[in-house]
């Protein structure tokens, strides 16, 4: 993640692939929910790397993979739904589909607001 933030996209890609492979190996032994959360975080970062590097087809495939991880764990979908919509918005921007990007960003905001409203309401009870 640090390599991506520093602009070393190739290095970030290499280390992310290694980390994702290790997570897959660990999931075979014990499918703990924290592994899915780490996998999703790594996928989110590699998707951003792909978009910056102009690898749009790989980015959309990994967005699909992130959605599959979320569907396997409903709690992840509720906590990371806004990030998925943001990634779809970034993808749409990279494809020069600005109206669709705006729809995804607005959806991300709505999902974010709904999720934190529910969390706040739950805490108040």
């Amino acid at each position: 993640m640090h390599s991506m933030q520093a602009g070393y996209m190739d290095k970030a890609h290499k280390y992310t692939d290694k980390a994702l492979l290790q997570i897959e190996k660990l999931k075979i032994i014990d499918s703990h929910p924290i592994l899915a959360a780490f996998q999703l975080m790594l996928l989110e970062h590699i998707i951003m790397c792909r978009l910056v590097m102009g690898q749009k087809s790989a980015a959309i495939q990994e967005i699909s993979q992130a959605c599959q991880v979320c569907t396997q764990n409903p709690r992840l979908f509720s906590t990371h739904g806004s990030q998925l919509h943001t990634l779809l918005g970034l993808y749409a921007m990279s494809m020069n589909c600005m109206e669709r990007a705006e729809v995804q960003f607005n959806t991300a905001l709505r999902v974010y607001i709904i999720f934190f409203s529910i969390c706040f309401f739950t805490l108040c009870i």
Side-chain angles (χ1 to χ4, degrees), residues 90-109:
L90 291 172
Y91 175 77
M93 283 181 67
S94 74
M95 297 298 290
N96 204 25
C97 299
M98 297 306 170
E99 292 87 20
R100 294 191 186 267
E102 184 179 1
V103 168
Q104 291 298 324
F105 292 138
N106 285 330
T107 303
L109 284 172

Side-chain angles (χ1 to χ4, degrees), residues 3-4 21 23 28 33-34 45 47 50 54 77 89 91 95 121:
S3 296
M4 185 201 79
L21 185 62
I23 287 173
I28 292 170
I34 192 77
H45 279 83
I47 291 164
R50 298 274 195 201
F77 192 73
Y91 175 77
M95 297 298 290
F121 179 73

Side-chain angles (χ1 to χ4, degrees), residues 18-33:
K18 285 182 180 182
L20 287 170
L21 185 62
Q22 189 65 31
I23 287 173
E24 287 300 322
K25 288 178 183 177
L26 290 171
K27 284 173 103 177
I28 292 170
I29 297 168
D30 181 24
S31 185
H32 198 276

Side-chain angles (χ1 to χ4, degrees), residues 7-25:
Y8 303 115
M9 299 302 166
D10 291 330
K11 190 175 181 181
H13 179 259
K14 180 177 94 173
Y15 287 125
T16 301
D17 282 343
K18 285 182 180 182
L20 287 170
L21 185 62
Q22 189 65 31
I23 287 173
E24 287 300 322
K25 288 178 183 177

Side-chain angles (χ1 to χ4, degrees), residues 75-94:
R75 186 162 191 266
L76 276 180
F77 192 73
S78 66
T79 57
H80 289 264
S82 60
Q83 286 94 324
L84 291 174
H85 284 288
T86 301
L87 291 170
L88 284 169
L90 291 172
Y91 175 77
M93 283 181 67
S94 74

